[in-house]
Coordinates of all heavy atoms in Angstrom, one line a residue:
L14 N 7.9 -16.1 -2.0 CA 9.2 -15.5 -1.7 C 9.3 -14.1 -2.3 O 9.1 -13.9 -3.6 CB 10.4 -16.3 -2.2 CG 11.8 -15.8 -2.0 CD1 12.1 -15.7 -0.5 CD2 12.8 -16.7 -2.8
T15 N 9.4 -13.1 -1.5 CA 9.5 -11.7 -2.0 C 10.8 -11.1 -1.6 O 11.3 -11.3 -0.5 CB 8.3 -10.8 -1.5 OG1 8.3 -10.9 -0.1 CG2 7.0 -11.4 -2.1
I16 N 11.3 -10.3 -2.5 CA 12.6 -9.6 -2.2 C 12.4 -8.1 -2.6 O 12.0 -7.8 -3.7 CB 13.7 -10.2 -3.1 CG1 13.9 -11.7 -2.8 CG2 15.1 -9.4 -2.8 CD1 14.8 -12.4 -3.8
R17 N 12.7 -7.3 -1.6 CA 12.7 -5.8 -1.8 C 14.2 -5.4 -1.9 O 14.9 -5.5 -0.8 CB 12.0 -5.1 -0.7 CG 11.8 -3.6 -0.9 CD 12.9 -2.8 -0.4 NE 12.7 -1.4 -0.7 CZ 13.6 -0.4 -0.5 NH1 14.8 -0.7 0.0 NH2 13.3 0.8 -0.7
R18 N 14.7 -5.0 -3.0 CA 16.1 -4.7 -3.2 C 16.4 -3.3 -2.8 O 16.0 -2.4 -3.5 CB 16.6 -5.0 -4.6 CG 16.6 -6.5 -4.9 CD 17.2 -6.8 -6.2 NE 17.4 -8.3 -6.3 CZ 16.5 -9.1 -6.9 NH1 15.4 -8.6 -7.5 NH2 16.7 -10.4 -7.0
G19 N 17.2 -3.1 -1.7 CA 17.6 -1.8 -1.4 C 19.1 -1.6 -1.8 O 19.7 -2.6 -2.3
Q20 N 19.6 -0.4 -1.5 CA 21.0 -0.1 -1.9 C 21.9 0.0 -0.7 O 23.2 0.0 -0.9 CB 21.0 1.1 -2.8 CG 20.2 1.1 -4.0 CD 20.6 -0.1 -4.9 OE1 21.8 -0.4 -5.2 NE2 19.6 -0.9 -5.4
E21 N 21.4 0.1 0.5 CA 22.3 0.3 1.6 C 22.8 -1.1 2.1 O 22.1 -2.1 1.8 CB 21.5 0.9 2.8 CG 21.0 2.4 2.5 CD 22.2 3.4 2.5 OE1 23.4 2.9 2.5 OE2 21.9 4.6 2.6
P22 N 23.9 -1.2 2.8 CA 24.5 -2.4 3.2 C 23.8 -3.1 4.4 O 24.4 -3.4 5.4 CB 25.9 -2.1 3.5 CG 25.9 -0.6 4.0 CD 24.8 0.0 3.1
L23 N 22.5 -3.3 4.3 CA 21.7 -3.9 5.3 C 20.6 -4.8 4.7 O 19.9 -4.4 3.9 CB 21.0 -2.8 6.2 CG 20.0 -3.2 7.3 CD1 20.7 -4.0 8.3 CD2 19.3 -2.0 7.8
L24 N 20.6 -6.0 5.2 CA 19.6 -7.0 4.7 C 18.8 -7.4 5.9 O 19.3 -7.8 6.9 CB 20.2 -8.2 4.0 CG 19.3 -9.2 3.3 CD1 20.0 -10.0 2.2 CD2 18.6 -10.2 4.3
V25 N 17.4 -7.3 5.8 CA 16.5 -7.7 6.9 C 15.8 -8.9 6.4 O 15.2 -8.9 5.4 CB 15.6 -6.5 7.2 CG1 14.5 -6.9 8.3 CG2 16.3 -5.3 7.7
S26 N 15.8 -9.9 7.3 CA 15.2 -11.3 6.9 C 14.0 -11.5 7.8 O 14.0 -11.3 9.0 CB 16.3 -12.3 7.2 OG 15.7 -13.6 7.1
F27 N 12.9 -12.0 7.1 CA 11.7 -12.4 7.8 C 11.4 -13.9 7.5 O 10.7 -14.2 6.5 CB 10.5 -11.6 7.4 CG 10.6 -10.1 7.7 CD1 10.7 -9.1 6.8 CD2 10.6 -9.7 9.1 CE1 10.8 -7.8 7.1 CE2 10.7 -8.4 9.4 CZ 10.8 -7.4 8.4
P28 N 12.0 -14.8 8.3 CA 11.8 -16.2 8.0 C 10.6 -16.9 8.6 O 10.2 -18.0 8.1 CB 13.1 -16.8 8.5 CG 13.4 -16.0 9.7 CD 13.0 -14.6 9.3
H29 N 9.9 -16.3 9.6 CA 8.9 -16.9 10.3 C 7.6 -16.2 10.4 O 6.7 -16.5 11.2 CB 9.4 -17.3 11.7 CG 10.4 -18.3 11.8 ND1 11.3 -18.4 12.9 CD2 10.8 -19.3 10.9 CE1 12.1 -19.5 12.6 NE2 11.8 -20.0 11.5
T30 N 7.4 -15.2 9.5 CA 6.1 -14.4 9.6 C 5.1 -15.0 8.6 O 3.9 -14.6 8.6 CB 6.3 -13.0 9.2 OG1 6.8 -12.9 7.9 CG2 7.3 -12.3 10.2
G31 N 5.5 -16.0 7.8 CA 4.6 -16.6 6.9 C 3.5 -17.5 7.5 O 3.8 -18.2 8.5
T32 N 2.3 -17.5 6.9 CA 1.2 -18.3 7.4 C 0.7 -19.3 6.4 O -0.2 -20.1 6.7 CB 0.1 -17.5 7.9 OG1 -0.4 -16.6 6.8 CG2 0.5 -16.6 9.1
S33 N 1.2 -19.3 5.2 CA 0.8 -20.2 4.1 C 1.2 -21.7 4.5 O 2.4 -21.9 4.8 CB 1.4 -19.9 2.8 OG 1.1 -20.9 1.8
L34 N 0.2 -22.6 4.4 CA 0.5 -24.0 4.7 C 0.8 -24.8 3.4 O 0.8 -26.0 3.4 CB -0.6 -24.6 5.5 CG -0.9 -23.9 6.8 CD1 -2.0 -24.6 7.5 CD2 0.4 -23.9 7.7
A35 N 0.9 -24.0 2.3 CA 1.4 -24.6 1.0 C 0.5 -25.7 0.5 O 1.0 -26.7 0.0 CB 2.8 -25.1 1.1
G36 N -0.8 -25.6 0.8 CA -1.7 -26.7 0.3 C -1.8 -27.9 1.1 O -2.4 -28.9 0.8
L37 N -1.1 -27.9 2.3 CA -1.0 -29.0 3.2 C -2.0 -29.0 4.3 O -1.9 -29.7 5.3 CB 0.4 -29.2 3.7 CG 1.5 -29.3 2.7 CD1 2.9 -29.3 3.3 CD2 1.4 -30.7 1.9
D38 N -2.9 -28.1 4.2 CA -3.9 -27.8 5.4 C -4.5 -29.1 5.9 O -4.6 -29.2 7.2 CB -5.0 -26.9 4.9 CG -4.5 -25.5 4.4 OD1 -3.6 -25.6 3.5 OD2 -4.9 -24.5 4.8
D39 N -4.9 -30.0 5.1 CA -5.6 -31.2 5.5 C -4.7 -32.2 6.3 O -5.1 -33.1 6.9 CB -6.2 -31.9 4.3 CG -7.4 -31.1 3.8 OD1 -8.0 -30.3 4.5 OD2 -7.9 -31.4 2.7
D40 N -3.4 -32.0 6.1 CA -2.4 -32.9 6.8 C -2.3 -32.5 8.3 O -1.9 -33.3 9.1 CB -1.0 -32.9 6.1 CG -1.0 -33.5 4.8 OD1 -2.0 -34.3 4.5 OD2 -0.1 -33.2 4.0
F41 N -2.5 -31.2 8.6 CA -2.3 -30.8 9.9 C -3.6 -31.0 10.8 O -4.7 -31.1 10.3 CB -2.0 -29.3 9.9 CG -0.6 -28.9 9.3 CD1 -0.5 -28.4 8.1 CD2 0.5 -29.2 10.0 CE1 0.7 -28.1 7.5 CE2 1.8 -28.9 9.5 CZ 1.9 -28.3 8.3
V42 N -3.3 -31.1 12.1 CA -4.5 -31.2 13.0 C -5.5 -30.1 12.8 O -6.7 -30.3 12.8 CB -3.9 -31.3 14.5 CG1 -5.1 -31.2 15.5 CG2 -3.1 -32.5 14.7
S43 N -4.9 -28.9 12.7 CA -5.8 -27.7 12.4 C -4.9 -26.6 11.8 O -3.7 -26.5 12.2 CB -6.5 -27.2 13.6 OG -5.7 -26.5 14.4
P44 N -5.4 -25.8 10.9 CA -4.6 -24.7 10.4 C -4.2 -23.7 11.6 O -3.0 -23.2 11.6 CB -5.6 -24.0 9.5 CG -6.5 -25.0 9.0 CD -6.7 -25.9 10.1
W45 N -5.1 -23.5 12.5 CA -4.7 -22.6 13.6 C -3.5 -23.1 14.4 O -2.6 -22.4 14.7 CB -5.9 -22.4 14.6 CG -5.5 -21.5 15.8 CD1 -5.4 -20.2 15.8 CD2 -5.1 -22.0 17.1 NE1 -5.0 -19.8 17.0 CE2 -4.8 -20.8 17.8 CE3 -5.0 -23.3 17.7 CZ2 -4.3 -20.9 19.2 CZ3 -4.5 -23.3 19.0 CH2 -4.2 -22.2 19.7
L46 N -3.5 -24.4 14.7 CA -2.4 -25.0 15.4 C -1.1 -24.9 14.6 O 0.0 -24.6 15.2 CB -2.7 -26.5 15.8 CG -1.7 -27.2 16.8 CD1 -1.9 -26.5 18.1 CD2 -2.0 -28.7 16.8
A47 N -1.2 -25.1 13.3 CA 0.0 -25.1 12.4 C 0.5 -23.6 12.3 O 1.7 -23.5 12.0 CB -0.4 -25.6 11.1
Q48 N -0.3 -22.7 12.6 CA 0.1 -21.3 12.5 C 0.4 -20.6 13.9 O 0.8 -19.5 13.9 CB -1.0 -20.5 11.8 CG -1.2 -20.9 10.3 CD -2.5 -20.4 9.7 OE1 -3.4 -20.0 10.4 NE2 -2.5 -20.4 8.4
R49 N 0.1 -21.3 14.9 CA 0.2 -20.7 16.3 C 1.6 -20.1 16.6 O 1.7 -19.1 17.2 CB -0.2 -21.7 17.4 CG -0.2 -21.1 18.7 CD -0.8 -22.0 19.8 NE 0.0 -23.2 20.0 CZ -0.4 -24.2 20.7 NH1 -1.6 -24.3 21.2 NH2 0.5 -25.2 20.9
D50 N 2.7 -20.8 16.1 CA 4.0 -20.4 16.5 C 4.6 -19.4 15.5 O 5.8 -19.2 15.5 CB 4.9 -21.6 16.6 CG 4.5 -22.5 17.8 OD1 4.0 -22.0 18.8 OD2 4.8 -23.7 17.7
T51 N 3.8 -18.8 14.6 CA 4.2 -17.8 13.7 C 4.8 -16.6 14.5 O 4.4 -16.3 15.6 CB 3.0 -17.3 12.9 OG1 2.5 -18.4 12.2 CG2 3.4 -16.2 12.0
D52 N 5.8 -15.9 13.9 CA 6.3 -14.7 14.5 C 5.3 -13.6 14.1 O 5.6 -12.8 13.2 CB 7.7 -14.4 13.9 CG 8.7 -15.4 14.4 OD1 8.4 -16.4 15.1 OD2 9.9 -15.2 14.1
W53 N 4.3 -13.5 14.8 CA 3.1 -12.6 14.4 C 3.5 -11.2 14.3 O 4.1 -10.6 15.2 CB 2.0 -12.8 15.4 CG 1.3 -14.1 15.3 CD1 1.4 -15.2 16.1 CD2 0.5 -14.6 14.2 NE1 0.7 -16.3 15.7 CE2 0.1 -15.9 14.5 CE3 0.0 -14.0 13.0 CZ2 -0.7 -16.7 13.6 CZ3 -0.8 -14.7 12.2 CH2 -1.1 -16.0 12.5
W54 N 3.2 -10.6 13.2 CA 3.2 -9.1 12.9 C 4.6 -8.6 12.9 O 4.8 -7.3 12.9 CB 2.3 -8.4 13.8 CG 1.0 -9.0 14.2 CD1 0.5 -9.2 15.4 CD2 0.0 -9.5 13.2 NE1 -0.8 -9.8 15.3 CE2 -1.1 -10.0 14.0 CE3 0.0 -9.6 11.8 CZ2 -2.2 -10.6 13.4 CZ3 -1.1 -10.2 11.3 CH2 -2.2 -10.7 12.0
I55 N 5.6 -9.4 12.9 CA 7.0 -8.9 12.9 C 7.3 -8.1 11.7 O 8.0 -7.1 11.8 CB 8.0 -10.0 13.1 CG1 8.0 -10.5 14.6 CG2 9.4 -9.7 12.7 CD1 8.7 -9.5 15.5
D56 N 6.8 -8.5 10.5 CA 7.0 -7.7 9.3 C 6.4 -6.3 9.4 O 6.9 -5.3 8.9 CB 6.6 -8.4 8.1 CG 5.2 -9.1 8.2 OD1 4.6 -9.0 9.3 OD2 4.7 -9.6 7.2
Q57 N 5.3 -6.2 10.1 CA 4.7 -4.9 10.3 C 5.5 -4.1 11.3 O 5.6 -2.8 11.2 CB 3.2 -5.0 10.8 CG 2.3 -5.6 9.8 CD 0.8 -5.6 10.2 OE1 0.4 -4.6 10.7 NE2 0.1 -6.7 10.0
L58 N 6.0 -4.7 12.3 CA 6.8 -4.0 13.4 C 8.0 -3.4 12.7 O 8.4 -2.3 13.1 CB 7.2 -5.0 14.5 CG 7.9 -4.5 15.7 CD1 7.0 -3.5 16.5 CD2 8.4 -5.6 16.5
Y59 N 8.6 -4.1 11.8 CA 9.8 -3.6 11.2 C 9.6 -2.9 9.8 O 10.5 -2.8 9.0 CB 10.8 -4.7 10.9 CG 11.5 -5.2 12.2 CD1 11.0 -6.3 12.9 CD2 12.7 -4.7 12.6 CE1 11.7 -6.8 14.0 CE2 13.4 -5.1 13.7 CZ 12.9 -6.2 14.4 OH 13.6 -6.7 15.5
D60 N 8.4 -2.5 9.5 CA 8.1 -2.0 8.2 C 8.9 -0.7 7.8 O 9.1 -0.3 6.7 CB 6.6 -1.8 7.9 CG 6.0 -0.7 8.8 OD1 6.7 -0.1 9.6 OD2 4.8 -0.5 8.7
F61 N 9.5 -0.1 8.9 CA 10.3 1.1 8.6 C 11.7 0.7 7.9 O 12.4 1.6 7.5 CB 10.7 1.8 10.0 CG 11.4 0.9 10.9 CD1 12.8 0.7 10.9 CD2 10.7 0.2 11.9 CE1 13.5 -0.1 11.7 CE2 11.4 -0.7 12.8 CZ 12.8 -0.8 12.7

Side-chain angles (χ1 to χ4, degrees):
L14 177 64
T15 56
I16 302 168
R17 187 271 179 189
R18 291 189 172 93
Q20 300 306 312
E21 297 286 16
L23 174 65
L24 188 155
V25 177
S26 167
F27 295 115
H29 290 157
T30 61
T32 57
S33 171
L34 300 181
L37 302 171
D38 304 50
D39 289 343
D40 290 340
F41 291 105
V42 172
S43 75
W45 177 81
L46 191 67
Q48 295 165 342
R49 186 171 67 191
D50 294 331
T51 299
D52 292 4
W53 289 106
W54 319 131
I55 282 291
D56 45 354
Q57 293 188 44
L58 185 66
Y59 283 95
D60 64 2
F61 61 84

